[in-house]
Each structure stands twice: as structure tokens, then as C-alpha cells.
Amino acid sequence: MIKNLMRGLAPLALILSPLAVPSPALSANVILFPDALSELTEAAEDPDGYKATAFRHWNQGLDPADGCDTRSEVLIAEAEDAPGTGAKCALTGGRWTSPYDGQSVTDPAALRVDHVVGLEEAWQSGASGWTAARREQYANDQGAAATLVAVTARSQKEKAGRDPAEWVPSDSARYCRFVGDWVSTKLRWGLSTDKDEMEALKLFADGPCEETVVLRSKAPQ
């Protein structure tokens, strides 16, 4: 599927993910996608025992006093036009562009906050061995722009927790950001990569996403 998607596409212009322009202070942590890919650990997935309740979300977010949970805080942070905020953090208006399909959205209820690396994928890639508290940290991580994204409900359903061996955004202007965010998140949380997933990522690293920029960061302990 991935080879068919990439066939015939011209090399893309530089795509910065998740940063728009890396600052000098962060330059040591900004690497090209192929270099970031080489830092991943390849290992077989552990599919047993996953359940959604293993990852508590959404919690009180970064500011428990603002009345907004993580989902609402992500929507506010990613809005291109800020929404109104009412009682109990009820959001109205605003404008967003979904990074998976490029759709412009003006109704916050029509958006979903997606884990770029889905919860089941994280479980199978190492999170099964974490404490419940660390899994909650992961599920509500706002410390890196790559981890959580506001997307249309349709595109989240289409992705359905699949990895880049099975799904990437169809728009050639968007899939380099997705795979860059994917690798950034796996590095941040020390998650492994299975063989098929790695082979798919290598196709992007050797072709259209060669110059995609990834931010290397460490999740809090």
C-alpha cells in the first residue's frame, strides 16, 4: 500500500515536523528524518493484554485550575482562530485545519484529539511494561507538539490506530509530517518499532521525506 501511495510522487519540499523553524537553542535536538529513524529500536510487538482503560485520559490537563481537560487544552493550543471558552471549558467557534486531511473545521465538536501513535500501538511497543501513572502521562502528553493532534472525526476513524505500514495521510503534503511526528513520539517515549513498520518508514526516509525535520525530546520521568 505504501509503495503504491508513493509511486509517481515528486520529492517534497522541506517539511518541518513538529517545529516550523528550529531555533539555535534547540538545534542539538533537531535531526533529519533518516537520522531519527536510525535511533529507533526494532522489536516484535507484544499484542497481549491491551485495553483502553489502561491509559487514563483525558485528565485535568496542564492547568487543573482552568476547568479544561487535556482534549480541550489541545484544541485551544492548536486553534488557528481561538475558540470562545465558556463555563466548564465549553468551547464555541474557532477554526482548525486537520493535519491528516487538510480540512478546515469551525465546530470544536467535530474534532477529535488523536494520539499520533495510538494507545494500542504504544501498548504493543513497550507501554505494556509501564506503570499506570506513566501510561496516563503518555495519554495526556502535551510536552511535544507531535504527540496529540486535533483532527477531523472522519480522518481519525480512517486511521483507526494503524501504523505507517498500513496508513498515512493520502495528501503528499501531509504524510511527511505524519511519519515525522510518529518517529518523534516513539523516540520521546522509548517505544519500539516492528519490522513492517520500520520497512515502511525506510521507504519515506529514502524518498520524499528525506529532508523532513524531527524534534528529538525526552518524556518526563
Side-chain angles (χ1 to χ4, degrees), residues 54-138:
F55 293 82
R56 180 173 175 260
H57 67 293
W58 306 108
N59 65 17
Q60 297 178 90
L62 297 177
D63 182 4
D66 67 5
C68 299
D69 62 10
T70 298
R71 177 187 180 276
S72 295
E73 288 184 352
V74 171
L75 291 180
I76 293 168
E78 295 191 0
E80 295 170 354
D81 295 331
T85 306
K88 298 182 180 180
C89 202
L91 304 182
T92 55
R95 183 173 63 86
W96 296 260
T97 298
S98 169
Y100 290 174
D101 56 14
Q103 295 298 305
S104 180
V105 179
T106 55
D107 178 5
L111 291 164
R112 302 292 181 267
V113 172
D114 191 51
H115 297 87
V116 170
V117 177
L119 301 182
E120 185 171 8
E121 171 72 25
W123 176 274
Q124 295 173 347
S125 304
S128 60
W130 296 350
T131 64
R134 187 151 184 81
R135 288 194 290 269
E136 181 178 349
Q137 281 184 305
Y138 177 82

Side-chain angles (χ1 to χ4, degrees), residues 29-46:
N29 292 319
V30 174
I31 53 179
L32 289 176
F33 181 69
D35 296 326
L37 190 59
S38 70
E39 296 184 9
L40 289 173
T41 299
E42 187 174 332
E45 290 186 343
D46 176 11

Side-chain angles (χ1 to χ4, degrees), residues 18 78 141-149 184-185 188-189 215 217-219:
E78 295 191 0
D141 181 21
Q142 295 186 65
T147 310
L148 297 170
V149 291
S184 177
T185 300
R188 175 171 169 79
W189 288 91
L215 176 63
S217 64
K218 280 289 187 182

Side-chain angles (χ1 to χ4, degrees), residues 21-28:
V21 178
S23 68
L26 292 172
S27 60

